[in-house]
């Protein structure tokens, strides 16, 4: 069953239940109210008749039954006057054919006497009765329940008509609201089918309110991210094929030249050196691509532990020292209060990320490289700066993407690997240019608890 039919069915059942319960409640409340009002009228009338009986002093005889003083405006109300023993002294039926009361023996049959006695005792539930004590005995006023039920049924019919109209209006309103809710969901389903078909660029934002709007926005954002990822993957394979093709062409060309005798003497040795260098470069490239793939897909490749930031930075400097000496670059390191500050990360992976960042700085630095570490707002911040030419503005947004490299870059995977490692540590890496010149790469990590 479609969702729209399910919602309408559920709403219809709920509406019927509510109206049914409301109808029963109103029925009994209305009935109780009418009975209470009728009893109040009977009570007031009984007090009035009791005063009249005191003035007229009706004789207590069973042979004659004088008419009780009931006004014509009280049609449908009857009275019974009984003595202390429960015997009927007088009665005033509500029927119009009895104008003058006759002796009880002639006016009341045995069956009628029994019925009247039940009414007087209050055991007949078909009548509403009110008792009042008089000098002659007990005065009982009664009126049939059928009169009350007639009024109650007339009012209940009107209420049912009102309920029916209100229910119909609510049903129409529910159909409108359901259509308003379901229509965005149907359009959202169509957009998700585009995602299924990998048409990420064709996904459009569905305007809707509330939670449906939030879901629509999430779907649109997801499609944009998938489209970006798809483009990045295509670009990655294109760049990877290009980066792999270059060393392979060099290796193949020199190998064929040596085989065919194109190179002789010292040129053969140079050709073999190029083959070895390109092979090493190819191996490094494949290793970095494999590491990136593992960082993206494998959970067990990352072994998290508690490490000391000072020891991490010290080992980074020691590993980089030969390259720094070769290039004539000095490195200055500050770690302030971070001498014993712990950090949770994979030590070997994070060391590799730091080596990539520092080697990138050493590649462009003129004379100095600075490493500054501190705690800021409960986080560990490591800044690596150099006095080089800085990062081109058009390259900044894409610096950490794969195969994106500067003028003197190598494979374009080093900073991409650093970003993947830092993000796996729960951190954030960003690049910027210093005001006085040079590049600044900042690594921010949450402090260990």
């Amino acid at each position: 069953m479609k969702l729209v039919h399910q919602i309408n069915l559920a709403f219809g059942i709920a509406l019927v239940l509510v109206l049914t319960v409301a109808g029963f409640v109103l029925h009994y409340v209305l009935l109780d109210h009418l009975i209470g009002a009728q009893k109040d009228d009977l009570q007031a009338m009984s007090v009035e008749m009791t005063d009249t009986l005191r003035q007229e002093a009706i004789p207590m005889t069973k042979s004659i039954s004088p008419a009780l003083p009931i006004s014509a405006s009280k049609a449908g109300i009857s009275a019974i006057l009984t003595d202390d023993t429960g015997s009927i002294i007088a009665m005033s039926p509500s029927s119009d054919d009895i104008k003058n009361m006759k002796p009880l023996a002639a006016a009341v049959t045995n069956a009628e006497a029994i019925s009247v006695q039940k009414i007087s005792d209050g055991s007949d539930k078909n009548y509403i009765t009110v008792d009042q004590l008089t000098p002659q005995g007990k005065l009982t006023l009664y009126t049939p329940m059928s009169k009350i039920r007639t009024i109650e049924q007339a009012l209940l019919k009107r209420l049912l008509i009102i309920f029916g109209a209100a229910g119909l209006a609510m049903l129409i309103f529910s159909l409108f609201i359901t259509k308003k809710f379901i229509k965005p969901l149907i359009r959202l389903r169509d957009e998700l089918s585009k995602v299924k078909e990998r048409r990420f660029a064709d996904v459009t934002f569905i305007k809707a309110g509330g939670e449906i709007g939030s879901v629509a926005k999430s779907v649109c954002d997801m499609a944009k991210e998938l489209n970006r990822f798809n483009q990045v993957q295509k670009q990655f394979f294109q760049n990877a094929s290009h980066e792999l093709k270059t060393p392979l062409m060099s290796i193949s060309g020199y190998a064929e030249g040596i085989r065919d005798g194109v190179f002789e003497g010292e040129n053969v040795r140079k050709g073999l050196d190029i083959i070895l260098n390109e092979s090493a470069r190819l191996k490094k490239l494949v290793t970095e691509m494999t590491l990136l793939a593992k960082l993206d897909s494998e959970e067990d490749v990352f072994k998290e532990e508690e490490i000391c930031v000072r020891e991490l930075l010290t080992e980074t400097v020691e590993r980089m020292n030969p390259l720094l000496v070769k290039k004539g670059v000095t490195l200055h390191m500050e770690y302030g209060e971070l001498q014993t500050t712990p950090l949770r990360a994979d030590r070997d992976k994070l060391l590799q990320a730091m080596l990539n960042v520092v080697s990138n700085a050493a590649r462009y630095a003129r004379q100095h490289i600075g490493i500054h570490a501190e705690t800021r707002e409960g986080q560990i911040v490591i800044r690596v700066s150099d006095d080089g030419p800085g990062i081109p503005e058009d390259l900044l947004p894409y610096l950490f993407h794969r195969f994106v490299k500067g003028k003197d870059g190598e494979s374009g995977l080093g900073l991409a690997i650093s970003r993947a490692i830092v993000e796996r540590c729960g951190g954030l890496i960003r690049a910027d240019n210093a005001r006085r010149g040079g590049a600044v790469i900042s690594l921010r990590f949450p402090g260990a608890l």
Side-chain angles (χ1 to χ4, degrees):
M1 183 183 294
K2 293 184 177 180
L3 180 60
V4 60
H5 297 152
Q6 294 180 8
I7 295 177
N8 289 331
L9 180 61
F11 186 83
I13 294 174
L15 184 62
V16 170
L17 289 176
V18 170
L19 292 180
T20 302
V21 173
F24 275 108
V25 171
L26 286 176
H27 167 73
Y28 288 107
V29 169
L30 187 61
L31 186 62
D32 291 342
H33 173 74
L34 292 174
I35 292 175
Q38 188 64 54
K39 284 187 176 182
D40 292 340
D41 291 343
L42 291 177
Q43 187 67 35
M45 187 176 177
S46 67
V47 173
E48 180 183 349
M49 291 180 64
T50 299
D51 293 339
T52 303
L53 289 174
R54 286 196 182 97
Q55 295 174 3
E56 295 181 358
I58 296 178
M60 298 176 61
T61 174
K62 298 181 180 180
S63 60
I64 300 298
S65 181
L68 294 175
I70 298 179
S71 62
S73 62
K74 302 297 183 180
I77 298 177
S78 303
I80 302 173
L81 183 63
T82 57
D83 57 14
D84 296 337
T85 62
S87 301
I88 300 174
I89 300 175
M91 58 186 296
S92 177
S94 60
S95 57
D96 296 333
D97 59 336
I98 303 177
K99 299 296 182 181
N100 299 318
M101 303 303 297
K102 297 180 180 180
L104 289 176
V108 182
T109 63
N110 186 40
E112 291 175 341
I114 295 174
S115 176
V116 168
Q117 188 65 39
K118 289 182 178 179
I119 295 172
S120 177
D121 295 342
S123 58
D124 194 340
K125 301 302 180 182
N126 293 321
Y127 295 89
I128 302 173
T129 60
V130 170
D131 297 331
Q132 184 73 28
L133 296 177
T134 65
Q136 293 83 3
K138 183 178 73 171
L139 176 65
T140 301
L141 297 183
Y142 65 94
T143 187
M145 279 288 294
S146 58
K147 178 182 176 181
I148 302 298
R149 288 196 175 96
T150 301
I151 298 173
E152 183 262 343
Q153 288 176 2
L155 292 175
L156 190 59
K157 287 179 181 179
R158 289 177 173 81
L159 285 175
L160 290 176
I161 293 174
I162 295 173
F163 279 176
L168 181 61
M170 289 296 295
L171 185 60
I172 296 174
F173 181 71
S174 72
L175 292 174
F176 172 75
I177 294 297
T178 303
K179 184 178 179 181
K180 184 178 179 181
F181 284 153
I182 296 300
K183 188 176 180 180
L185 288 176
I186 295 175
R187 294 181 59 192
L188 192 59
R189 180 195 61 189
D190 296 337
E191 299 304 317
L192 286 172
S193 64
K194 296 178 183 178
V195 175
K196 180 181 178 182
E197 297 169 0
R198 297 181 179 272
R199 295 188 291 122
F200 307 123
D202 297 336
V203 176
T204 57
F205 176 67
I206 305 300
K207 292 184 178 180
E211 287 77 6
I212 297 179
S214 300
V215 174
K217 185 177 183 304
S218 299
V219 170
C220 188
D221 294 341
M222 177 188 67
K224 290 180 180 178
E225 183 64 22
L226 287 173
N227 186 49
R228 188 194 67 81
F229 181 76
N230 192 37
Q231 296 297 327
V232 169
Q233 288 294 97
K234 290 181 180 179
Q235 186 178 3
F236 170 77
F237 286 114
Q238 292 173 357
N239 294 335
S241 62
H242 174 74
E243 293 293 333
L244 292 173
K245 184 179 180 180
T246 302
L248 285 174
M249 287 178 62
S250 298
I251 294 172
S252 176
Y254 278 98
E256 289 178 359
I258 294 172
R259 183 195 64 183
D260 297 337
V262 176
F263 301 106
E264 296 179 355
E266 188 65 25
N267 290 330
V268 174
R269 182 175 182 81
K270 290 181 179 179
L272 292 174
D273 290 339
I274 291 175
I275 291 175
L276 289 175
N277 292 334
E278 291 299 319
S279 299
R281 178 187 171 194
L282 187 61
K283 179 180 179 182
K284 180 182 179 182
L285 189 61
V286 172
T287 302
E288 290 179 340
M289 291 173 59
T290 305
L291 177 59
L292 270 175
K294 288 183 177 180
L295 289 172
D296 288 340
S297 60
E298 297 183 16
E299 294 293 334
D300 56 353
V301 75
F302 202 81
K303 308 296 183 181
E304 190 177 85
E305 59 180 323
E306 193 171 279
I307 61 177
C308 178
V309 177
R310 177 187 176 185
E311 294 178 357
L312 175 69
L313 298 180
T314 302
E315 186 170 355
T316 301
V317 174
E318 291 175 352
R319 294 280 190 94
M320 290 299 302
N321 195 50
L323 177 62
L324 297 175
V325 171
K326 181 180 179 181
K327 294 181 67 68
V329 176
T330 59
L331 189 148
H332 179 69
M333 181 171 59
E334 294 181 3
Y335 40 76
E337 299 177 356
L338 287 174
Q339 295 186 13
T340 58
T341 302
L343 172 65
R344 292 200 62 82
D346 187 312
R347 190 179 187 282
D348 295 335
K349 299 295 187 300
L350 189 54
L351 176 61
Q352 183 175 355
M354 288 298 303
L355 291 173
N356 290 345
V357 172
V358 177
S359 64
N360 185 77
R363 186 176 298 114
Y364 297 99
R366 293 190 179 97
Q367 295 179 344
H368 301 285
I369 295 176
I371 299 178
H372 180 76
E374 62 179 347
T375 56
R376 186 184 303 170
E377 299 177 355
Q379 293 184 323
I380 300 172
V381 181
I382 303 174
R383 297 172 68 249
V384 179
S385 59
D386 62 69
D387 59 350
I391 305 170
E393 293 296 329
D394 58 341
L395 190 62
L396 270 176
Y398 313 102
L399 186 63
F400 297 102
H401 289 185
R402 300 170 184 182
F403 296 108
V404 174
K405 55 186 177 180
K407 182 179 178 181
D408 298 324
E410 293 183 349
S411 64
L413 292 176
L415 292 181
I417 292 174
S418 297
R419 184 185 70 169
I421 293 173
V422 170
E423 290 179 351
R424 286 292 295 269
C425 294
L428 181 66
I429 186 171
R430 60 171 297 178
D432 206 345
N433 288 317
R435 293 181 180 178
R436 297 181 180 179
V440 179
I441 296 181
S442 302
L443 295 83
R444 187 183 296 265
F445 302 94
L449 300 178

